[in-house]
Amino acid sequence: MNKPTVIVYVDGFNLYRRALKGTPYKWLDLFALSSVLLYEYDVILVRYFTAHISPIPNDLSQGQRQQVYLRALKVNGKISIHLGKFRLDARPMPLHPWEFGSDGRPKNVKVKKTEEKGSDVNLATYFLLDIFTEKADAFVILTNDSDLAEPLRLAKDELRRTVGLILPTDTPSRELLKVDPQIIRQIREGALMVSQLPKDLYDSHGAITKPKSW
């Protein structure tokens, strides 16, 4: 008997911050991970939402590592990459703890603020588009971002679709859990361990090798 089909929507920065940062599992095969966690489904597509990151003074090669990873993901034709924008701005922000000037106002300093823009909107857009066009039997979002609770709720309660969450943390968002999706999975170390890309891959441009620091 054929398995029901599913599309997975990966919030890339949320996944990195919550489950991958500081681990040896950054060379992650998103299709393999989705297949492991949703073993009762046929994963027909993984949509990965991220943005090109900018180098920072203490890690000038992080953007290069990301490019290698994105190229590795593209080897699998069932992984689709959708790019937002990454901003690095100098902004005045108040000191902590508070300090006040002679005029009684809080003292500010300029800080470099990194911000990823557009990926959550892109994710919600493709999530609902795929639902409206009936591309699969189920639709699962990998995130812990409460901003995605409303499109998830609309899909479940108003459109009557089978939806799900893959949680990259053991402290999930209450807003997301309130939606009560039909499918809930949590990423654990064992799933990350068995879902790594091969150290070396190949595309039409040649060899792709896992970054040494990963």
Side-chain angles (χ1 to χ4, degrees):
M1 190 172 79
N2 292 335
K3 294 180 179 181
T5 57
V6 65
I7 298 175
V8 179
Y9 307 80
V10 179
D11 180 346
F13 280 96
N14 203 270
L15 169 64
Y16 179 80
R17 288 192 300 265
R18 297 286 186 167
L20 299 178
K21 188 176 181 180
T23 77
Y25 307 121
K26 300 182 187 74
W27 196 236
L28 183 63
D29 184 336
L30 298 173
F31 186 83
L33 178 69
S34 300
S35 298
V36 166
L37 295 175
L38 301 167
Y39 57 88
E40 69 271 58
Y41 287 87
D42 176 16
V43 180
I44 60 171
L45 179 64
V46 175
R47 295 191 184 275
Y48 180 55
F49 298 85
T50 187
H52 290 308
I53 58 177
S54 302
I56 56 178
N58 64 336
D59 190 357
L60 296 176
S61 63
Q62 66 171 358
Q64 185 179 22
R65 293 195 301 274
Q66 183 196 37
Q67 292 304 311
V68 172
Y69 180 57
L70 294 178
R71 187 178 157 203
L73 289 178
K74 289 178 182 177
V75 172
N76 186 335
K78 292 185 177 181
I79 297 177
S80 176
I81 297 172
H82 306 267
L83 296 173
K85 295 181 179 180
F86 187 82
R87 292 180 54 178
L88 182 61
D89 299 323
R91 299 187 185 182
M93 300 186 75
L95 286 167
H96 178 76
W98 293 98
E99 291 185 20
F100 297 89
S102 58
D103 59 359
R105 296 180 180 179
K107 289 184 178 180
N108 289 339
V109 293
K110 278 191 175 181
V111 299
K112 286 287 188 182
K113 180 175 175 59
T114 58
E115 192 174 16
E116 187 270 331
K117 303 287 288 183
S119 287
D120 54 350
V121 174
N122 290 343
L123 192 157
T125 300
Y126 277 95
F127 175 69
L128 292 173
L129 174 65
D130 289 344
I131 286 173
F132 280 124
T133 54
E134 300 182 354
K135 285 187 180 294
D137 300 311
F139 307 85
V140 176
I141 301 177
L142 191 165
T143 192
N144 194 48
D145 186 348
S146 60
D147 288 346
L148 292 167
E150 187 62 7
L152 196 69
R153 185 195 67 77
L154 287 171
K156 174 178 174 281
D157 296 342
E158 303 298 328
L159 302 176
R160 305 295 181 185
R161 301 298 186 183
T162 299
V163 299
L165 276 173
I166 297 176
L167 298 165
T169 176
D170 56 5
T171 55
S173 159
R174 292 182 181 179
E175 292 302 312
L176 287 173
L177 293 181
K178 280 182 185 178
V179 176
D180 192 25
Q182 298 95 328
I183 304 165
I184 299 180
R185 301 288 188 271
Q186 185 174 330
I187 298 176
R188 301 192 184 278
E189 185 176 7
L192 296 175
M193 189 182 302
V194 301
S195 302
Q196 296 296 294
L197 292 162
K199 182 181 177 182
D200 297 299
L201 300 94
Y202 299 88
D203 64 9
S204 59
H205 300 288
I208 309 166
T209 301
K210 176 182 176 180
K212 289 183 180 180
S213 61
W214 283 13

